[in-house]
Amino acid sequence: GIATGRERGGWAYPIFRGHLGARIPRMRLEVRDVVRSMRDRFKVVEWGYFLSELKKRRIDNAADVGDALHFLANIGELSYFGDVLETSCLHEDRALEFDDEESTTFTSKVPPHHQNTDNASDLHDPTVSLGLSDFIFLNPRWLIAAVACILRHDLTTEIYEVRRALRNAEHLEGTESLSMDGESSLDMDLKTDVNYPVITARDACLLWQNKKFTKKAAERALQYSNNRSVSPYDFLERLLIRFGVFVPIDLSIDKTCLGGRDYSGYCEYSYYPAVASDNVVEAAHAPKFFFLPSLLGPGDPNISDIWTFKTVESWKTTICDTILFPDGVPPGLMERITASILSDLYTNPGQLRIKEILCWRSAFFLKIGSETSENSNGIVSESIVEIFATLVDQDSQLCVASDSMGVGMRRLIFSGKGQCGDKGSKIWKGGYRRVLKKAIKHVVHEYSGLEIERQAVCPQCLAKKPISQASIWEHSTITSLRTSGEQVIRCRYGHMNDVSLICGTTDEQSQVLSTETQASVGDTDIPVSDLLKAVVIVGIWDENAQRIVRAGSGFIVDRKRGFVVTAGHTLMDRYTWREVKGKIVIGVVPNNSSRADPVAVYRYFARIVVKDPSINDNGVCKLDTCVLQITTRMETDVLESGKEIGEQPETLLMNNPVAMKEQNFKQLSVSQKFELDEAVRILGFNQGGEGLIGPGEELNRCADFARGYVVMKFAVYSEQRPNQTFQPTQEIVVICPTIFGHSGGPCVNQQGEVIGILSRADPADRQRCYLVPSSEWLPLVKVAKRMLSKSRAV
């Protein structure tokens, strides 16, 4: 009774669901009889021909036939894949959400084209053919033999031998001769003692045709086929792609390294046609090369040469998510995930372009590019995202948060590195969301019985601490914070992180957060008009050109000595860091000017007192700051930036304390303290054009400001790249509109204290800029004071 389902044994549901002892519908038995009668003549049969044979027995309902075939496949009578949708139909563009929406079903009991029973030719209409039901494997051993031709430890040797035999015979049935120069070159490069995990579509067809068992059955199936546009070899190729045995791959990208073998040089063979087909559309879109993840060797990559969770560029960040397997992992997990992700990226690239791929049995690395355009000016730029995934144990050097793991646990790690602007949106949209979503979905669907724990890793821990000690958050914690509208999350070490950076954010969420931030800023600010009279224009007046050729901003830090702090690149070439020839001119807002109209006048000349000492030592700038001293005053204030500046008589102020005091300079206070999410303002003189005046047409003398907030302090703890001439050691990252001409301008807090000066903007996100912290350039001010004291003593 328990076996048949009539007795439940005290359980709420039947233990065996009534399968044992249940009657088999007559239709299934009749289809089984037809299958057995055809098996002597066919190992594989085309769907249309099989349906026509069933019609002879008055079986003409395609839906019932599909149901019978599924039943026979389940009991091992045959192999049929009519309920499996092709990869191209599985792609979704929805953003990955950190929730449990992983249960979407992509299969249907009967493919759509099985609904038509009147016209067999309609069964192969490409507009309705979604399933892999073109052929039925009456003998499952034929499919096993076909797969075994490819997945073998001596694949490279077999390909070499088959090619040589066919070349000697000078013919290949059904295709062209292989005596092509390109393929001969490839033969010469093959080493038969090494197994390469790459095969061309043509080579796969050669191997299948070389085996009499597979060749004879395929020819017979095609001979009796009602639809000859798809051959059994074409169908096999699609089937293996769908199940991840074949991964379509493009060898013409910048770098392709599979199993330690570099295939980038094989791009010249990409013109080879795929498996011969009468379907022109299908042949045109057929991939030329296939990657075989199951043939990857056991060797591990050189960790230090491939990936590091640290970054030396302040505009980059690294985010990381993991899946923890407390009880270990099933064999082949990483191979299946790799195949699933790469197949998805290659068959449905969208706006993404794979530039580099490095793949091993236990890890892969992707460099993905995506084009973005600025709505304001229409300029198209490319964002690069690096993605690394690996399956490791507790002892691995790449295992993040390994201190929190136990013996026998395994961790599947996904990490993305790219531009941190706009809460890391370019990383999430640049392929990381898609890779992570595909991997999670694969694990949840294929290994539903496994115990797993989804976790996120603190980005600041990855940057500042050993990765083994990195702090992690459980998936449920991230979900609850995002649901409640929290914007900041703190790790156990006290690092504060943006929730949107950890879990990604949609465009709608980003707009809401931006609006909330702007609404909360500026309620208790000291009026800007009280600060602008200490902000100055810093320019270089060229004697030959008779005009100001470079201009930036700065502020007076010491009114007594006439010291001005500005950005070094305003007065020096940013590539060589040599001083630009010319006189340094200073423009100030007069004390008697209107608070509502802070217009500067050119009044003083200055000189560089102190700059970053590393520039003279090794030609590398680590501090984009210099300290100026006002030296002379023009006899008359100048309003234009032309030759009138050079014609003014000058009054000496340097080494004249009394004259310097009479100038009644305004100065700004300096603070070395700041808080994350603190509201700030960047003051300066906009030289990027205003109204009908374009950039560079006229020097602007009207001071303005931009609001923003602090998001992080970036520090570099490792050696930087030797070919870079600009290597900042510490920077404050601020979300604030970056205005051309504000370089060197002070960034002040709500109390009007300077926490840093503007150095540069993010190359990809104009809303993200970088400050030189006051703690970095205050020592230069002290050096300038000592130098001035010594000169007076002499």
Side-chain angles (χ1 to χ4, degrees), residues 235-283:
F235 179 73
L236 266 177
E237 181 182 307
R238 288 163 43 197
L239 186 67
L240 296 182
I241 291 174
R242 170 61 188 89
F243 286 98
V245 179
F246 281 178
V247 177
I249 194 168
D250 181 10
L251 299 185
S252 64
I253 61 177
D254 296 345
K255 186 174 183 180
T256 304
C257 184
L258 306 173
R261 170 75 174 179
D262 190 358
Y263 289 88
S264 305
Y266 287 172
C267 61
E268 60 265 31
Y269 308 112
S270 61
Y271 64 82
Y272 285 170
V275 178
S277 173
D278 295 331
N279 190 326
V280 178
V281 176
E282 187 176 8

Side-chain angles (χ1 to χ4, degrees), residues 663-674:
Q663 304 308 309
N664 195 20
F665 291 127
K666 304 298 182 182
Q667 74 177 45
L668 297 179
S669 301
V670 178
S671 174
Q672 300 185 48
K673 298 180 180 180
F674 62 90

